[in-house]
Amino acid sequence: MDFDLPAEHRMIRDTVREFCEEEIAPIAQEVEDEHRFPAEVFDELAALDMMGVPVSEEYGGLGGDQLMYALVTEELGRVSGGIGLSYAAHVSLGSKPIELFGTDEQKEEWLRPLATGEGMGAWALTEPGSGSDASDMDTTAEYDADAGEYVLNGTKQFITNATVANSVLVKAVTEPDAGYDGISTFIVDPENDDGFEVTTVWDKMGLNCSPTCEIQLDDVRIPEDRLLGEEGEGWTQTMKTLDGGRISIAALSTGLAQGAYEAAKEYAGEREQFGQPISKFDAIRDKIVDMHRKTERSRLLTHKAAVKYDEGNRVTEESALAKLDASESAREVAEDAVQVLGGYGYTEDFSPQRFYRGAKLMEIGEGTSEIQHVVLGRQLGL
Amino acid sequence: MKVLVTVKEVAEVGDDFAIEGTGIAESDLEYDLNEWDDYAVEAGVQLAEADVADEVVAVTIGPERSEETIRMALAKGADRAVRVWDDALTEEFLDVAGKVSLLEAVVAEEEPDLVLSGVQAADDSFGATGVALADRIGFEHAAVVNDLEVAADAGVANVHRELEGGVEELTEVDLPAVLTVQTGLNEPRYASLRGIRQAQRKEIAAKELSDLGLSAEEVASALTLTEMYEPESESDAEMIEGDAGEAAGRLAEVLREKGVGA
């Protein structure tokens, strides 16, 4: 059992960290304030081959593993949760399903532009009336045999990257009354498919540089070769996708925690009250030690899930555990960071409030903490 | 044309560190590619991209640990690397003359047309290796280069040199030459992730003294490190406070005291 990262992974992490500190950290608050998706940053990520880290080289990706992808995602989260979220959604939810379930033709047409970073990926599962219970989905895809087309109708909610996406993987019901077995996945092109409309871009508590959207699908006609996998496979695809996706949310959470921890540690070492740095007081020292403890724990669970994934195992338990623990830790660590900085921590001139706002979403997206408990309970045979 | 870039892994210390004997505690050190060498690597890679250089070879003197650092040069585009080290070098301080002897042997093997080297290393800051190497191997040289154009056909490098007092010197240097590179020559790139992955498979040839036809005596240092201590620093900075008028008044007073405008 080797706890040291391979040299290649370490080099990649260090390079990405340097890039994030130099190029993203200085604008992280600004893009939040402006609610602006920083396309120029994603162009740079593309130039550095970051947009397709765990996608095979055959389709323009880096050919790296899940561990490498987790390291990159953590570094993004350490400076900007919003950029990290759009990145993780692009890779785990927008790109990986095409690689895992698509035909060679689909990969060439839809995966390649995502892996090379020409376009952004997205996926659409949640609906206004269907969140944790996806079997209650209202979006439909009816097959028009004469035209050889599917006709999509419905509303999708909280869709990351929808305004900037090259493709959206839309889940829709192809067989009503079949429950989970009646769901299928379709590749929708927001720009060229008529009837696709982003109806809302939400203002959120945090992560505002990452667009979160409501989508309206109004008689969207798409050719049948846009069906991903077979009809009725949508839900099993979703489960497999989320096994990987949760690792990236765990990694992103670890990054948020790390960023918050470092901000608090640095501040506490410099801020003097009662004649000494506040880090010398037990109350603050203990807080910072606990922040470090939780961050390191998140990282270990995340790396364990990633390594198991890379070994070809199903990682439902590991990824749920990592996501549950890392997201809660991130929120706790970020909250403590705000507290350590006191009044300054509550201002937007300092980063802890940004980490705090961002961390809260980690407990909600890609399965709430409550759902992670359900998943884990099932894994434990409860 | 072949370019040889000398790179060094330098130790960096944080605010808190412990001195152990004539060194700094290993646990307080972090290693990184010397900043000036980063510009030299970038210059070499740009020459390759402009089809001026056919091959860019990075050379370093350092233990196995330094492979990680020199691999960064490979990730940024150097074609291969040579790493020189020997158990005999671990014992004592390696001075400029010793390093030059090692590099001289590498130059004899590689026969480069251009050697690029950082002006200085961030740790021992002799600022001497590049020019001393040029002297030893009989190459032309230019130091503190902050602008570079190579006309390979004409066999010359047109360089700007940064001199003191903001003066820039424009010089034509005949190749083969050694140029020591100042920060600001270019903007070093980030290694792409694909570059990093490819660098894992690029060659780093390890050479010992015997491989280079050298003996321990030939690289023995004339310098010995006798002591390592933290110099006491004094600071008597005065922060001038108050509104603009008051601050300007106090500033004028200080300047007058120091003899300005007397």
Side-chain angles (χ1 to χ4, degrees), chain A residues 32-82:
Chain A
E32 277 305 295
D33 295 344
E34 294 171 356
H35 290 211
R36 181 174 72 80
F37 174 78
E40 74 281 7
V41 168
F42 284 88
D43 288 345
E44 289 180 78
L45 299 184
L48 293 176
D49 312 315
M50 278 168 67
M51 296 304 281
V53 169
V55 174
S56 79
E57 290 182 278
E58 194 184 345
Y59 294 103
L62 184 66
D65 53 20
Q66 194 75 10
L67 180 62
M68 192 178 281
Y69 168 49
L71 293 168
V72 171
T73 308
E74 180 187 331
E75 292 307 321
L76 289 170
R78 181 169 162 267
V79 292
S80 169

Short mmCIF file of all heavy atoms in Angstrom, two decimals, chain A residues 32-82:
data_model
loop_
_atom_site.label_atom_id
_atom_site.label_comp_id
_atom_site.label_asym_id
_atom_site.label_seq_id
_atom_site.Cartn_x
_atom_site.Cartn_y
_atom_site.Cartn_z
N GLU A 32 -16.95 35.59 -9.41
CA GLU A 32 -18.11 35.32 -8.55
C GLU A 32 -19.00 36.55 -8.49
O GLU A 32 -20.22 36.48 -8.66
CB GLU A 32 -17.65 34.97 -7.12
CG GLU A 32 -17.25 33.54 -6.92
CD GLU A 32 -18.35 32.56 -7.33
OE1 GLU A 32 -19.41 32.54 -6.71
OE2 GLU A 32 -18.10 31.83 -8.30
N ASP A 33 -18.37 37.71 -8.23
CA ASP A 33 -19.13 38.95 -8.10
C ASP A 33 -19.88 39.26 -9.40
O ASP A 33 -21.01 39.74 -9.37
CB ASP A 33 -18.18 40.12 -7.79
CG ASP A 33 -17.52 39.97 -6.43
OD1 ASP A 33 -18.03 39.16 -5.63
OD2 ASP A 33 -16.50 40.64 -6.18
N GLU A 34 -19.23 38.98 -10.51
CA GLU A 34 -19.83 39.32 -11.81
C GLU A 34 -20.77 38.22 -12.31
O GLU A 34 -21.38 38.38 -13.36
CB GLU A 34 -18.72 39.54 -12.84
CG GLU A 34 -17.85 40.76 -12.54
CD GLU A 34 -16.62 40.83 -13.46
OE1 GLU A 34 -16.42 39.91 -14.26
OE2 GLU A 34 -15.90 41.83 -13.34
N HIS A 35 -20.83 37.10 -11.59
CA HIS A 35 -21.61 35.94 -12.05
C HIS A 35 -21.22 35.60 -13.49
O HIS A 35 -22.08 35.38 -14.34
CB HIS A 35 -23.12 36.22 -11.96
CG HIS A 35 -23.62 36.31 -10.56
ND1 HIS A 35 -24.89 35.93 -10.20
CD2 HIS A 35 -23.03 36.71 -9.41
CE1 HIS A 35 -25.06 36.12 -8.89
NE2 HIS A 35 -23.93 36.59 -8.40
N ARG A 36 -19.93 35.56 -13.72
CA ARG A 36 -19.45 35.42 -15.09
C ARG A 36 -18.71 34.10 -15.28
O ARG A 36 -17.76 33.80 -14.55
CB ARG A 36 -18.50 36.58 -15.43
CG ARG A 36 -17.95 36.55 -16.84
CD ARG A 36 -17.13 37.81 -17.12
NE ARG A 36 -15.85 37.85 -16.43
CZ ARG A 36 -14.76 37.19 -16.85
NH1 ARG A 36 -14.80 36.47 -17.95
NH2 ARG A 36 -13.62 37.30 -16.19
N PHE A 37 -19.13 33.32 -16.27
CA PHE A 37 -18.41 32.10 -16.63
C PHE A 37 -17.11 32.51 -17.34
O PHE A 37 -17.16 33.14 -18.39
CB PHE A 37 -19.26 31.23 -17.57
CG PHE A 37 -18.55 30.03 -18.10
CD1 PHE A 37 -18.40 28.90 -17.30
CD2 PHE A 37 -18.01 30.02 -19.39
CE1 PHE A 37 -17.73 27.77 -17.79
CE2 PHE A 37 -17.34 28.90 -19.87
CZ PHE A 37 -17.21 27.78 -19.07
N PRO A 38 -15.95 32.18 -16.76
CA PRO A 38 -14.69 32.66 -17.34
C PRO A 38 -14.21 31.78 -18.49
O PRO A 38 -13.34 30.92 -18.31
CB PRO A 38 -13.72 32.63 -16.16
CG PRO A 38 -14.25 31.53 -15.29
CD PRO A 38 -15.73 31.41 -15.53
N ALA A 39 -14.76 32.03 -19.67
CA ALA A 39 -14.42 31.20 -20.84
C ALA A 39 -12.92 31.22 -21.10
O ALA A 39 -12.34 30.23 -21.53
CB ALA A 39 -15.18 31.70 -22.06
N GLU A 40 -12.29 32.38 -20.81
CA GLU A 40 -10.86 32.50 -21.10
C GLU A 40 -10.04 31.55 -20.23
O GLU A 40 -9.01 31.02 -20.67
CB GLU A 40 -10.39 33.95 -20.95
CG GLU A 40 -10.25 34.47 -19.51
CD GLU A 40 -11.59 34.87 -18.85
OE1 GLU A 40 -12.66 34.61 -19.45
OE2 GLU A 40 -11.55 35.42 -17.73
N VAL A 41 -10.51 31.30 -19.01
CA VAL A 41 -9.80 30.35 -18.14
C VAL A 41 -9.92 28.94 -18.72
O VAL A 41 -8.94 28.19 -18.77
CB VAL A 41 -10.37 30.38 -16.70
CG1 VAL A 41 -9.83 29.20 -15.89
CG2 VAL A 41 -10.02 31.70 -16.03
N PHE A 42 -11.12 28.60 -19.20
CA PHE A 42 -11.30 27.26 -19.75
C PHE A 42 -10.51 27.07 -21.04
O PHE A 42 -10.06 25.96 -21.35
CB PHE A 42 -12.80 26.95 -19.91
CG PHE A 42 -13.44 26.63 -18.59
CD1 PHE A 42 -13.97 27.62 -17.78
CD2 PHE A 42 -13.45 25.32 -18.11
CE1 PHE A 42 -14.52 27.34 -16.54
CE2 PHE A 42 -14.00 25.02 -16.87
CZ PHE A 42 -14.54 26.03 -16.09
N ASP A 43 -10.30 28.16 -21.79
CA ASP A 43 -9.43 28.08 -22.97
C ASP A 43 -8.01 27.71 -22.54
O ASP A 43 -7.33 26.92 -23.19
CB ASP A 43 -9.41 29.41 -23.73
CG ASP A 43 -10.72 29.66 -24.47
OD1 ASP A 43 -11.50 28.70 -24.64
OD2 ASP A 43 -10.96 30.81 -24.87
N GLU A 44 -7.58 28.31 -21.43
CA GLU A 44 -6.23 28.01 -20.94
C GLU A 44 -6.14 26.58 -20.40
O GLU A 44 -5.15 25.90 -20.62
CB GLU A 44 -5.83 29.00 -19.85
CG GLU A 44 -5.57 30.40 -20.37
CD GLU A 44 -5.16 31.36 -19.26
OE1 GLU A 44 -4.00 31.30 -18.85
OE2 GLU A 44 -6.03 32.13 -18.79
N LEU A 45 -7.20 26.15 -19.72
CA LEU A 45 -7.22 24.77 -19.24
C LEU A 45 -7.13 23.80 -20.42
O LEU A 45 -6.45 22.77 -20.36
CB LEU A 45 -8.49 24.48 -18.43
CG LEU A 45 -8.73 25.29 -17.16
CD1 LEU A 45 -9.99 24.81 -16.45
CD2 LEU A 45 -7.54 25.21 -16.21
N ALA A 46 -7.81 24.17 -21.51
CA ALA A 46 -7.77 23.33 -22.71
C ALA A 46 -6.35 23.28 -23.27
O ALA A 46 -5.85 22.22 -23.65
CB ALA A 46 -8.76 23.85 -23.75
N ALA A 47 -5.70 24.45 -23.30
CA ALA A 47 -4.34 24.51 -23.86
C ALA A 47 -3.37 23.66 -23.04
O ALA A 47 -2.37 23.17 -23.56
CB ALA A 47 -3.87 25.96 -23.91
N LEU A 48 -3.66 23.50 -21.76
CA LEU A 48 -2.79 22.69 -20.90
C LEU A 48 -3.25 21.23 -20.84
O LEU A 48 -2.77 20.46 -20.01
CB LEU A 48 -2.76 23.27 -19.49
CG LEU A 48 -2.09 24.65 -19.36
CD1 LEU A 48 -2.20 25.17 -17.93
CD2 LEU A 48 -0.64 24.58 -19.78
N ASP A 49 -4.19 20.85 -21.69
CA ASP A 49 -4.69 19.45 -21.77
C ASP A 49 -5.44 19.01 -20.53
O ASP A 49 -5.41 17.84 -20.15
CB ASP A 49 -3.53 18.46 -22.02
CG ASP A 49 -2.61 18.89 -23.14
OD1 ASP A 49 -3.15 19.31 -24.17
OD2 ASP A 49 -1.39 18.80 -22.99
N MET A 50 -6.12 19.93 -19.87
CA MET A 50 -6.81 19.59 -18.63
C MET A 50 -8.27 19.19 -18.82
O MET A 50 -8.90 18.65 -17.92
CB MET A 50 -6.75 20.76 -17.64
CG MET A 50 -5.44 20.81 -16.87
SD MET A 50 -5.24 22.36 -15.99
CE MET A 50 -6.54 22.23 -14.76
N MET A 51 -8.82 19.46 -20.01
CA MET A 51 -10.27 19.29 -20.16
C MET A 51 -10.70 17.85 -20.38
O MET A 51 -11.88 17.52 -20.25
CB MET A 51 -10.79 20.20 -21.29
CG MET A 51 -10.62 21.68 -21.00
SD MET A 51 -11.39 22.21 -19.45
CE MET A 51 -13.10 22.32 -19.94
N GLY A 52 -9.73 17.01 -20.73
CA GLY A 52 -10.09 15.59 -20.93
C GLY A 52 -9.15 14.67 -20.18
O GLY A 52 -8.73 13.64 -20.71
N VAL A 53 -8.83 15.02 -18.94
CA VAL A 53 -7.82 14.25 -18.18
C VAL A 53 -8.11 12.75 -18.17
O VAL A 53 -7.24 11.95 -18.55
CB VAL A 53 -7.66 14.80 -16.75
CG1 VAL A 53 -6.82 13.85 -15.90
CG2 VAL A 53 -7.00 16.18 -16.77
N PRO A 54 -9.32 12.30 -17.79
CA PRO A 54 -9.53 10.85 -17.74
C PRO A 54 -10.18 10.29 -19.00
O PRO A 54 -10.79 9.22 -18.95
CB PRO A 54 -10.47 10.69 -16.53
CG PRO A 54 -11.29 11.94 -16.55
CD PRO A 54 -10.49 13.03 -17.24
N VAL A 55 -10.06 11.00 -20.11
CA VAL A 55 -10.64 10.52 -21.37
C VAL A 55 -9.49 9.97 -22.24
O VAL A 55 -8.39 10.51 -22.23
CB VAL A 55 -11.36 11.67 -22.11
CG1 VAL A 55 -11.85 11.21 -23.48
CG2 VAL A 55 -12.52 12.19 -21.27
N SER A 56 -9.77 8.91 -22.97
CA SER A 56 -8.70 8.23 -23.71
C SER A 56 -8.10 9.15 -24.78
O SER A 56 -8.77 10.00 -25.34
CB SER A 56 -9.21 6.94 -24.35
OG SER A 56 -9.93 7.26 -25.52
N GLU A 57 -6.82 8.92 -25.05
CA GLU A 57 -6.10 9.73 -26.04
C GLU A 57 -6.70 9.57 -27.42
O GLU A 57 -6.63 10.47 -28.25
CB GLU A 57 -4.63 9.35 -26.05
CG GLU A 57 -3.89 9.79 -24.80
CD GLU A 57 -2.41 9.43 -24.84
OE1 GLU A 57 -2.07 8.28 -24.54
OE2 GLU A 57 -1.62 10.32 -25.19
N GLU A 58 -7.29 8.41 -27.67
CA GLU A 58 -7.89 8.14 -28.96
C GLU A 58 -8.92 9.21 -29.33
O GLU A 58 -9.10 9.53 -30.51
CB GLU A 58 -8.57 6.76 -28.89
CG GLU A 58 -8.94 6.18 -30.22
CD GLU A 58 -9.71 4.87 -30.06
OE1 GLU A 58 -9.68 4.29 -28.95
OE2 GLU A 58 -10.33 4.44 -31.05
N TYR A 59 -9.58 9.76 -28.35
CA TYR A 59 -10.60 10.78 -28.62
C TYR A 59 -10.17 12.16 -28.11
O TYR A 59 -10.99 13.00 -27.76
CB TYR A 59 -11.94 10.36 -28.03
CG TYR A 59 -12.46 9.13 -28.73
CD1 TYR A 59 -12.38 7.88 -28.14
CD2 TYR A 59 -12.96 9.22 -30.04
CE1 TYR A 59 -12.80 6.74 -28.81
CE2 TYR A 59 -13.37 8.10 -30.72
CZ TYR A 59 -13.29 6.85 -30.10
OH TYR A 59 -13.70 5.74 -30.79
N GLY A 60 -8.87 12.40 -28.09
CA GLY A 60 -8.38 13.74 -27.78
C GLY A 60 -8.17 14.01 -26.31
O GLY A 60 -7.83 15.13 -25.93
N GLY A 61 -8.37 13.01 -25.47
CA GLY A 61 -8.16 13.21 -24.03
C GLY A 61 -6.70 13.02 -23.65
O GLY A 61 -5.84 12.79 -24.50
N LEU A 62 -6.45 13.12 -22.36
CA LEU A 62 -5.08 12.99 -21.85
C LEU A 62 -4.74 11.52 -21.60
O LEU A 62 -3.57 11.16 -21.56
CB LEU A 62 -4.94 13.80 -20.56
CG LEU A 62 -3.55 13.86 -19.93
CD1 LEU A 62 -2.59 14.64 -20.84
CD2 LEU A 62 -3.60 14.50 -18.55
N GLY A 63 -5.77 10.69 -21.43
CA GLY A 63 -5.50 9.29 -21.13
C GLY A 63 -5.03 9.06 -19.71
O GLY A 63 -4.38 8.06 -19.41
N GLY A 64 -5.34 9.99 -18.83
CA GLY A 64 -4.97 9.84 -17.42
C GLY A 64 -6.00 9.01 -16.68
O GLY A 64 -7.00 8.58 -17.24
N ASP A 65 -5.75 8.78 -15.41
CA ASP A 65 -6.68 7.97 -14.63
C ASP A 65 -7.54 8.86 -13.71
O ASP A 65 -7.41 10.08 -13.71
CB ASP A 65 -5.93 6.89 -13.84
CG ASP A 65 -4.82 7.45 -12.98
OD1 ASP A 65 -4.84 8.67 -12.70
OD2 ASP A 65 -3.93 6.68 -12.59
N GLN A 66 -8.40 8.20 -12.96
CA GLN A 66 -9.32 8.91 -12.09
C GLN A 66 -8.56 9.65 -10.97
O GLN A 66 -8.96 10.73 -10.55
CB GLN A 66 -10.31 7.91 -11.48
CG GLN A 66 -11.52 8.53 -10.83
CD GLN A 66 -12.54 9.05 -11.83
OE1 GLN A 66 -12.45 8.80 -13.04
NE2 GLN A 66 -13.52 9.80 -11.34
N LEU A 67 -7.45 9.05 -10.52
CA LEU A 67 -6.65 9.70 -9.48
C LEU A 67 -6.07 11.02 -9.98
O LEU A 67 -6.11 12.04 -9.29
CB LEU A 67 -5.52 8.75 -9.03
CG LEU A 67 -4.60 9.29 -7.95
CD1 LEU A 67 -5.37 9.57 -6.65
CD2 LEU A 67 -3.44 8.32 -7.67
N MET A 68 -5.59 10.99 -11.20
CA MET A 68 -5.03 12.21 -11.80
C MET A 68 -6.11 13.28 -11.93
O MET A 68 -5.91 14.45 -11.62
CB MET A 68 -4.45 11.86 -13.17
CG MET A 68 -3.59 12.92 -13.79
SD MET A 68 -2.94 12.34 -15.38
CE MET A 68 -1.59 11.29 -14.84
N TYR A 69 -7.27 12.83 -12.38
CA TYR A 69 -8.42 13.73 -12.53
C TYR A 69 -8.83 14.31 -11.17
O TYR A 69 -9.12 15.51 -11.05
CB TYR A 69 -9.56 12.95 -13.18
CG TYR A 69 -10.92 13.59 -13.17
CD1 TYR A 69 -11.09 14.91 -13.58
CD2 TYR A 69 -12.04 12.87 -12.76
CE1 TYR A 69 -12.35 15.49 -13.57
CE2 TYR A 69 -13.30 13.44 -12.76
CZ TYR A 69 -13.45 14.75 -13.16
OH TYR A 69 -14.69 15.32 -13.15
N ALA A 70 -8.81 13.48 -10.13
CA ALA A 70 -9.16 13.96 -8.78
C ALA A 70 -8.16 15.01 -8.31
O ALA A 70 -8.54 16.02 -7.69
CB ALA A 70 -9.21 12.79 -7.79
N LEU A 71 -6.89 14.81 -8.62
CA LEU A 71 -5.86 15.77 -8.20
C LEU A 71 -6.08 17.12 -8.88
O LEU A 71 -6.00 18.17 -8.24
CB LEU A 71 -4.47 15.24 -8.55
CG LEU A 71 -4.02 14.00 -7.77
CD1 LEU A 71 -2.77 13.40 -8.42
CD2 LEU A 71 -3.74 14.35 -6.32
N VAL A 72 -6.37 17.08 -10.18
CA VAL A 72 -6.60 18.32 -10.92
C VAL A 72 -7.84 19.03 -10.38
O VAL A 72 -7.83 20.25 -10.16
CB VAL A 72 -6.76 18.02 -12.43
CG1 VAL A 72 -7.21 19.26 -13.19
CG2 VAL A 72 -5.46 17.48 -13.01
N THR A 73 -8.89 18.27 -10.13
CA THR A 73 -10.14 18.86 -9.64
C THR A 73 -9.93 19.49 -8.26
O THR A 73 -10.45 20.58 -7.98
CB THR A 73 -11.25 17.79 -9.57
OG1 THR A 73 -11.33 17.12 -10.83
CG2 THR A 73 -12.60 18.42 -9.25
N GLU A 74 -9.17 18.80 -7.41
CA GLU A 74 -8.90 19.38 -6.08
C GLU A 74 -8.18 20.72 -6.20
O GLU A 74 -8.52 21.68 -5.50
CB GLU A 74 -8.06 18.42 -5.22
CG GLU A 74 -7.77 19.02 -3.85
CD GLU A 74 -6.81 18.23 -2.97
OE1 GLU A 74 -6.74 17.00 -3.09
OE2 GLU A 74 -6.13 18.88 -2.14
N GLU A 75 -7.20 20.79 -7.09
CA GLU A 75 -6.45 22.04 -7.23
C GLU A 75 -7.34 23.18 -7.71
O GLU A 75 -7.20 24.32 -7.26
CB GLU A 75 -5.26 21.85 -8.18
CG GLU A 75 -4.17 20.94 -7.63
CD GLU A 75 -3.67 21.36 -6.25
OE1 GLU A 75 -3.54 22.58 -6.00
OE2 GLU A 75 -3.44 20.47 -5.42
N LEU A 76 -8.28 22.89 -8.61
CA LEU A 76 -9.21 23.92 -9.05
C LEU A 76 -10.08 24.37 -7.89
O LEU A 76 -10.29 25.57 -7.67
CB LEU A 76 -10.08 23.40 -10.20
CG LEU A 76 -9.36 23.19 -11.54
CD1 LEU A 76 -10.27 22.46 -12.51
CD2 LEU A 76 -8.93 24.53 -12.14
N GLY A 77 -10.57 23.40 -7.10
CA GLY A 77 -11.42 23.74 -5.96
C GLY A 77 -10.69 24.57 -4.92
O GLY A 77 -11.28 25.40 -4.25
N ARG A 78 -9.41 24.35 -4.81
CA ARG A 78 -8.60 25.08 -3.81
C ARG A 78 -8.59 26.59 -4.09
O ARG A 78 -8.38 27.39 -3.18
CB ARG A 78 -7.18 24.52 -3.86
CG ARG A 78 -6.23 25.13 -2.88
CD ARG A 78 -4.95 24.30 -2.83
NE ARG A 78 -3.87 25.05 -2.24
CZ ARG A 78 -2.98 25.77 -2.94
NH1 ARG A 78 -3.05 25.82 -4.25
NH2 ARG A 78 -2.03 26.45 -2.32
N VAL A 79 -8.80 26.99 -5.35
CA VAL A 79 -8.85 28.42 -5.66
C VAL A 79 -10.24 28.90 -6.08
O VAL A 79 -10.62 30.03 -5.76
CB VAL A 79 -7.82 28.81 -6.75
CG1 VAL A 79 -6.41 28.67 -6.21
CG2 VAL A 79 -8.01 27.98 -8.02
N SER A 80 -10.99 28.06 -6.78
CA SER A 80 -12.32 28.49 -7.23
C SER A 80 -13.28 27.31 -7.33
O SER A 80 -13.18 26.48 -8.24
CB SER A 80 -12.23 29.18 -8.61
OG SER A 80 -13.54 29.36 -9.14
N GLY A 81 -14.21 27.25 -6.39
CA GLY A 81 -15.21 26.18 -6.41
C GLY A 81 -16.06 26.23 -7.66
O GLY A 81 -16.45 25.20 -8.21
N GLY A 82 -16.34 27.43 -8.15
CA GLY A 82 -17.19 27.59 -9.32
C GLY A 82 -16.54 27.02 -10.57
O GLY A 82 -17.16 26.27 -11.35
#
